[in-house]
């Protein structure tokens, strides 16, 4: 959810404030970061700095900012998206202050500079911080794209001038992958060639925030003699904000979806939301024949120009099966990997950045444990100290003796319920027993197998006042149970696992604690 706080001499700032979708809970509610630890430690950020406009970096701002009432700094695109969110919450957007990439500003003892990166959304920035003689680079999400299509590529000189650094807080998402992430320019060429070869209607599904991809689809459509239409509210909103900022000035004229029926199939390109199998998205309605403005038929084409997010594999497979039953030709990451490029750095890009900035230490963030550990190993190859793979709630200290965990604060899950942020009640009857019997936080990373589910990486347990448990026996029981459960979604997995989990803990703990379970989908090592 990407809420990170930095403090020096009692003065605190925050970077990003995102949300996540709890796929393991019924109706998939939003989860936002807990602010209980901040209240307990009497920490209130003096300013909030946004690195870019993805939901996992801005999605919780409107929910949590009223507790802080601090200035918010964001680049123009992220600021525009935040203004929409504030309007929906009836909040004044006067506190949102636009900062251009490469600008610098000061907040108390902190001097900060926004440094432009390339990513799968324009204006993604790293933030360089100086405080008390320490030099820290918070990378945000990034990659080194030589042809990003929208915006300039990364300027090496801007980062070489930072060296040497005390610490990089760096993106680990693709740290296990050798080589480099693909370029948006190469994807654009592949899309052009693919659309020229297609017969019948073409539907391309991608993330709405990937404006370079949206622009590339529009250009490919124009070069193949096709007209473009948008389907999905998030797609329409993102394109609207981007056009207002001048990013899509040369985008082809749009055909309203209700007018698609007047066009012959070979003139139609639709850019649609729903690449992750979301049940209410435009792509799902097309697959089920429920879209009010267009029906797909044999000979049409659907392009998935997005990677499957872990946990969505089975809903996406079901979606593709429906298209296949309609006789629609499918293009996806398996049979046409050239039609997508990741937005995060692989190993060669990580090495390049670290040679530029020459950090003494690395704190690997983003991704799961397996990604952080791969990032640690790569850093150590380069002679960079990487002693920690942090977890949510860690209070870390950087001083002359290096980087260490000073305290660990378990984070009670907070979900958005009926337009308000509330603690998730846990697994038992919803009545807290925390003071008497303790609290057990369990984060379970899994991936789907052909027959069941498999635990990936370490089991993340955090107990506060609870009876000790034998983690090895507990892990063995979990692995056996996961392998037996045949369900398709994380929500169904949670429902199937919960009774046995409560029973096992009841038999192995002197007192049954309040249990907070989060099941997270991840990729198997080497995927």
């Amino acid at each position: 959810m990407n809420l990170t706080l930095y403090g020096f001499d009692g003065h605190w700032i925050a970077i990003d404030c995102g949300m996540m979708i709890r796929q393991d809970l019924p109706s998939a509610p939003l989860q936002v970061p807990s602010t209980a630890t901040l209240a307990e430690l009497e920490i209130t950020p003096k300013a909030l700095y946004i690195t870019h406009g993805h939901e996992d970096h801005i999605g919780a701002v409107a929910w949590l900012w009223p507790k802080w009432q601090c200035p918010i700094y964001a680049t123009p695109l992220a600021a525009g998206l935040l203004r929409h969110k504030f309007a929906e919450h009836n909040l004044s957007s006067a506190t949102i202050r636009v900062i251009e990439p490469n600008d610098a500003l000061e907040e108390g003892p902190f001097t900060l500079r926004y440094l432009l990166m390339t990513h799968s959304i324009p204006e993604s920035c790293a933030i360089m911080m100086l405080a008390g003689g320490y030099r820290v680079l918070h990378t945000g999400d990034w990659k080194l794209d030589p042809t990003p299509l929208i915006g300039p590529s990364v300027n090496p000189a801007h980062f070489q001038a930072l060296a040497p650094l005390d610490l990089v807080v760096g993106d680990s998402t693709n740290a296990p992958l050798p080589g480099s992430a693909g370029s948006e320019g190469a994807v654009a060429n592949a899309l052009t060639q693919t659309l020229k070869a297609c017969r019948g209607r073409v539907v391309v599904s991608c993330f709405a925030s990937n404006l370079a991809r949206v622009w590339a689809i529009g250009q490919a459509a124009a070069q193949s003699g096709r007209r473009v239409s948008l389907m999905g509210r998030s797609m329409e909103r993102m394109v609207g904000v981007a056009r207002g900022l001048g990013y899509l000035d040369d985008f082809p004229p749009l055909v309203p979806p209700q007018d698609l029926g007047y066009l012959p199939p070979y003139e139609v390109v639709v850019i649609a939301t729903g690449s992750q199998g979301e049940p209410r998205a435009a792509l799902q309605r097309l697959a089920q024949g429920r879209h009010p403005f267009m029906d797909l038929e044999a000979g049409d084409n659907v392009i998935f120009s997005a990677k499957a997010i872990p946990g969505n594999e089975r809903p996406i497979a079901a979606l593709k099966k429906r298209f296949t039953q309609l006789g629609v030709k499918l293009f996806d990451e398996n049979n046409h990997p050239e039609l997508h490029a990741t937005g995060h750095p692989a190993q060669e890009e990580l090495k390049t950045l670290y040679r530029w900035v020459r950090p003494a230490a690395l704190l690997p963030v983003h991704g799961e444990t397996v990604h952080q550990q791969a990032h640690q190993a790569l850093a150590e190859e380069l002679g960079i100290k990487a002693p920690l793979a942090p977890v949510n709630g860690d209070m870390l200290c950087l001083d002359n003796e290096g980087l260490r965990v000073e305290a660990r604060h378990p984070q009670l899950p907070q979900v958005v319920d009926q337009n308000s942020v509330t603690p998730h009640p846990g697994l038992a009857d919803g009545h807290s027993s925390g003071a008497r019997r303790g609290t057990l936080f369990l984060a379970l990373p899994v991936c789907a197998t052909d027959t069941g589910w498999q635990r990936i990486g370490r089991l993340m347990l955090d107990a506060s006042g609870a009876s000790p448990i034998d983690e090895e026996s507990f892990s063995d029981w979990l692995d056996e149970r996961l392998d037996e459960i045949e369900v398709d979604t994380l929500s169904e997995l949670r429902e199937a696992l919960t009774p046995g989990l409560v029973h096992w803990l009841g038999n192995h703990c002197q007192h049954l604690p309040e249990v907070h379970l989060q099941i997270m989908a991840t990729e198997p090592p080497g995927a």
Side-chain angles (χ1 to χ4, degrees):
M1 294 176 287
N2 297 306
L3 170 60
T4 308
L5 287 102
Y6 291 91
F8 182 83
D9 197 22
H11 194 103
W12 289 86
I13 61 173
I15 294 183
D16 290 332
C17 187
M19 64 84 179
M20 66 181 291
I21 298 172
R22 282 297 297 270
Q23 297 171 319
D24 61 327
L25 294 177
S27 73
L30 304 183
Q31 180 171 322
V32 300
S34 170
T35 58
T37 299
L38 304 185
E40 176 188 337
L41 300 177
E42 298 182 343
I43 292 173
T44 301
K46 300 294 185 182
L48 171 61
Y49 301 91
I50 301 298
T51 61
H52 66 283
H54 276 151
E55 285 296 302
D56 60 331
H57 291 256
I58 67 170
V61 175
W63 298 106
L64 301 187
W65 173 83
K67 298 175 181 287
W68 305 329
Q69 302 285 322
C70 64
I72 302 169
Y73 296 91
T75 52
L77 179 59
L81 297 171
L82 281 171
R83 289 192 186 102
H84 273 283
K85 292 180 178 296
F86 272 43
E88 291 173 350
H89 285 73
N90 296 315
L91 297 172
S92 169
S93 60
T95 190
I96 301 171
R97 302 176 185 181
V98 176
I99 183 167
E100 294 292 338
N102 301 319
D103 282 356
L105 60 160
E106 292 187 356
E107 176 57 53
F110 289 90
T111 301
L112 305 100
R113 183 178 293 276
Y114 273 61
L115 296 165
L116 194 63
M117 290 287 210
T118 47
H119 184 43
S120 54
I121 188 173
E123 301 176 1
S124 190
C125 289
I127 296 179
M128 176 67 190
M129 288 173 282
L130 290 81
Y134 292 96
R135 302 167 59 81
V136 177
L137 180 69
H138 183 106
T139 70
D141 292 358
W142 66 281
K143 67 176 181 178
L144 299 180
D145 191 337
T147 53
L149 299 184
I150 294 181
S153 55
V154 175
N155 188 334
H158 289 171
F159 290 88
Q160 291 165 342
L162 305 178
L165 297 176
D166 294 295
L167 178 68
V168 166
V169 180
D171 183 354
S172 308
T173 306
N174 280 337
L177 302 182
S180 299
S183 168
E184 286 298 328
V187 175
N189 292 334
L191 283 167
T192 298
Q193 298 306 313
T194 300
L195 261 65
K196 286 181 177 178
C198 283
R199 302 292 178 265
R201 301 172 186 84
V202 177
V203 177
V204 187
S205 189
C206 66
F207 294 115
S209 60
N210 194 338
L211 291 175
R213 192 73 50 81
V214 172
W215 181 88
I217 297 165
Q219 298 305 307
Q223 293 179 44
S224 59
R226 293 175 179 266
R227 308 281 298 279
V228 179
S229 184
L230 304 179
M231 285 187 182
R233 284 181 296 177
S234 61
M235 185 71 68
E236 293 167 358
R237 172 181 292 184
M238 184 64 69
V239 169
V241 172
R243 279 185 147 175
L245 295 169
Y247 276 121
L248 297 174
D249 286 345
D250 55 350
F251 198 72
L254 291 172
V255 175
Q258 59 267 30
D259 292 346
L260 288 172
Y262 298 108
L263 295 177
Y266 57 83
E267 288 189 14
V268 172
V269 168
V270 171
I271 309 176
T273 58
S275 64
Q276 301 305 305
E278 298 96 320
R280 292 180 294 276
L283 203 63
Q284 191 73 252
R285 285 180 287 157
L286 287 169
Q288 296 175 356
R290 294 189 296 107
H291 200 281
F293 302 130
M294 191 174 83
D295 290 323
L296 292 178
E297 54 192 28
D300 291 338
N301 310 269
V302 172
I303 298 173
F304 287 79
S305 188
K307 181 179 175 62
I309 294 174
N312 294 336
E313 294 90 349
R314 285 175 172 159
I316 293 172
L319 178 65
K320 292 177 179 178
K321 182 178 179 181
R322 293 191 189 99
F323 283 128
T324 302
Q325 291 169 343
L326 292 174
V328 170
K329 185 176 181 181
L330 293 178
F331 301 77
D332 61 19
E333 60 183 299
N334 297 316
N335 59 17
H336 286 276
E338 72 278 6
L339 296 175
H340 176 63
T342 177
H344 300 272
Q347 291 177 359
E348 288 307 312
E349 292 154 288
L350 292 168
K351 291 177 182 178
T352 297
L353 178 65
Y354 297 159
R355 291 184 183 116
W356 290 346
V357 300
R358 292 187 285 122
L362 166 76
L363 184 68
V365 295
H366 304 339
E368 306 296 342
T369 304
V370 64
H371 306 98
Q372 293 176 324
Q373 290 174 342
H375 203 173
Q376 286 176 291
L378 181 142
E380 288 163 2
E381 282 180 27
L382 300 176
I384 302 167
K385 296 178 181 177
L388 303 176
V391 297
N392 292 334
D394 280 359
M395 173 76 81
L396 309 173
C397 179
L398 173 67
D399 58 19
N400 292 332
E401 297 179 4
L403 190 65
R404 66 181 183 275
V405 178
E406 194 168 76
R408 180 157 286 166
H409 300 275
Q411 298 298 293
L412 181 69
Q414 303 286 309
V415 294
V416 176
D417 181 31
Q418 296 183 351
N419 243 18
S420 62
V421 178
T422 59
H424 186 258
L427 292 183
D429 56 8
H431 299 295
S432 175
S433 60
R436 292 188 298 109
R437 299 181 177 179
T439 307
L440 180 68
F441 298 87
L442 169 62
L444 182 60
V446 300
C447 74
T449 68
D450 291 339
T451 57
W453 296 81
Q454 178 184 356
R455 179 168 60 91
I456 300 295
R458 71 182 185 219
L459 182 67
M460 288 174 274
L461 277 170
D462 208 334
S464 176
S467 303
I469 65 172
D470 183 339
E471 290 191 25
E472 185 174 348
S473 297
F474 185 41
S475 297
D476 289 343
W477 176 84
L478 270 175
D479 291 343
E480 291 176 6
R481 187 72 188 97
L482 286 169
D483 191 50
E484 298 168 352
I485 297 176
E486 297 182 13
V487 295
D488 289 337
T489 67
L490 294 186
S491 179
E492 292 169 339
L493 176 60
R494 179 190 182 89
E495 185 178 351
L497 185 62
T498 294
L501 177 61
V502 172
H503 182 73
W504 191 95
L505 291 170
N507 286 338
H508 292 78
C509 297
Q510 184 176 0
H511 299 291
L512 180 64
E514 180 180 303
V515 182
H516 292 276
L517 170 67
Q518 180 168 341
I519 303 178
M520 307 170 297
T522 187
E523 294 179 344

